[in-house]
Amino acid sequence: MLSDEELMRYSRQILMPSFDIAGQETLKSARVLVVGAGGLGCPVALYLGAAGVGHLTLVDDDAIEVANLQRQIAFSQDQLEAAKAESLADRVRQINPLVSVEAIAHRLESDELVRQVSEASLVVDCTDNFNTRFALNRACVAAKVPLVSGAAIRGEGQLSVYDSRDPESPCYHCLYPEQGNEDLSCSEAGVIGPLVGMIGASQAMEAVKVISGVGKPLVGRLLILDAWRMEWREMKLARDPGCPVCSDR
C-alpha cells in the first residue's frame, strides 16, 4: 500500500498506464543488491532509490579518490577517502528518505555473497573485474535471481540481463568463459565520464523493467555502445547447452 507521500513523490511514474500503482508497489516491495559503487553503481543507486525501490544494498570495499570524481557523480571533493558504499547510501537517503538503504563496505565472498544474492529480488553488477562477475553469476543462477550486467571502458559500453527464471535465458558464463579473460581497469585504459552514466542509467532502467514486469528486458540480447560514434549494436545471445554454470538448472 502506498502512502499519500509516496503517491505524490512517484506520481510521474504512476501516471503511466502500463506502470500505474501496481508497478510502484512492486518496486516498493523489491530488494535490489548493487555490487559496485563506482561509475556504474552511482547512477544505478541514485535512479533506483529515487524511483522507489524499497530496499537497496550497496556493496563496495573501496574509498573515494580524486580520480573518481570525473565520473562517479554521487561523490564530492569533501568526501575524499570516505567509504564509497556508505557515502553512496547517504546520498540515496538524501534523495529519498522513504527507501531503506544498507551499505556493505567490504567485498562479498563465499557464503555471505550467496546469502545476499538469495535475499535479493534482483542483482545489478556494477563491478570492474571478472572474478566478481563470475561469482555473482553463479550465485544468481543458483538462487534464480535476475542479474543486470553492465560494463564500460574507454568509450565503449555493454549491457545485458541474465534471468535464470527464464528457461531460454543464457547466463553470463555462456557469453564469457572464465579462462582467458583478463581484467582491464579504467585506471589502465581510461574511460570517458558520460559513458558510465549512460550504461548505469540503462542498467537502472532494465532493473525497473525486470522488477515491475513492464516492458521487454534485455534477456537474450547484448547491447554494445560506441559512445564516440553514438552507435548501439545488438547481439542475440543463446544459452550454451554445455555451460558449466547454467546447463543443468
Side-chain angles (χ1 to χ4, degrees):
M1 191 75 174
L2 300 177
S3 66
D4 290 344
E5 184 177 357
E6 288 171 324
L7 290 170
M8 179 62 69
R9 178 179 287 267
Y10 309 127
S11 60
R12 297 302 185 271
Q13 295 171 180
I14 294 171
L15 279 171
M16 296 182 291
S18 60
F19 196 79
D20 207 348
I21 289 177
Q24 193 63 53
E25 289 179 334
T26 306
L27 285 188
K28 182 179 179 178
S29 64
R31 296 178 62 92
V32 174
L33 176 65
V34 181
V35 183
L40 299 175
C42 282
V44 166
L46 297 180
Y47 273 118
L48 293 184
V53 169
H55 184 93
L56 289 173
T57 300
L58 311 180
V59 182
D60 200 300
D61 65 348
D62 204 2
I64 301 168
E65 302 176 0
V66 67
N68 301 147
L69 302 182
Q70 161 255 5
R71 64 197 178 281
Q72 298 178 16
I73 57 171
F75 307 136
S76 58
Q77 181 75 24
D78 60 0
Q79 293 177 303
L80 294 179
E81 299 185 7
K84 288 184 180 181
E86 294 171 356
S87 299
L88 182 54
D90 286 342
R91 184 69 186 112
V92 174
R93 295 185 193 107
Q94 291 169 4
I95 292 173
N96 189 356
L98 302 182
V99 300
S100 171
V101 190
E102 175 188 3
I104 299 177
H106 59 265
R107 186 168 300 214
L108 292 182
E109 294 180 330
S110 58
D111 292 345
E112 186 183 13
L113 183 145
V114 171
R115 178 176 61 81
Q116 287 290 343
V117 168
S118 65
E119 292 176 355
S121 310
L122 177 139
V123 175
V124 188
D125 180 1
C126 301
T127 65
D128 60 359
N129 71 86
F130 279 108
N131 286 338
T132 303
R133 290 172 181 164
F134 288 125
L136 281 175
N137 178 68
R138 287 192 296 270
C140 285
V141 170
K144 294 192 180 300
V145 173
L147 174 64
V148 179
S149 176
I153 199 163
R154 300 189 184 97
E156 302 169 353
Q158 64 179 42
L159 174 74
S160 191
V161 176
Y162 307 100
D163 190 347
S164 57
R165 302 172 302 176
D166 181 346
E168 300 300 318
S169 173
C171 76
Y172 185 81
H173 197 287
C174 292
L175 180 61
Y176 294 106
E178 286 197 49
Q179 307 301 323
N181 279 306
E182 297 182 359
D183 295 329
L184 187 61
S185 67
C186 295
S187 62
E188 297 170 316
V191 65
I192 190 70
L195 169 67
V196 295
M198 295 173 69
I199 298 297
S202 299
Q203 285 180 276
M205 186 67 211
E206 290 301 306
V208 169
K209 288 158 59 178
V210 173
I211 293 167
S212 67
V214 178
K216 182 181 179 181
L218 282 169
V219 176
R221 296 182 290 155
L222 175 70
L223 286 187
I224 301 172
L225 170 63
D226 180 341
W228 292 116
R229 299 174 64 87
M230 201 51 69
E231 292 179 350
W232 288 93
R233 292 185 294 124
E234 179 177 312
M235 293 176 55
K236 300 292 185 182
L237 302 179
R239 283 188 63 193
D240 177 1
C243 176
V245 175
C246 72
S247 61
D248 60 348
R249 71 172 184 250

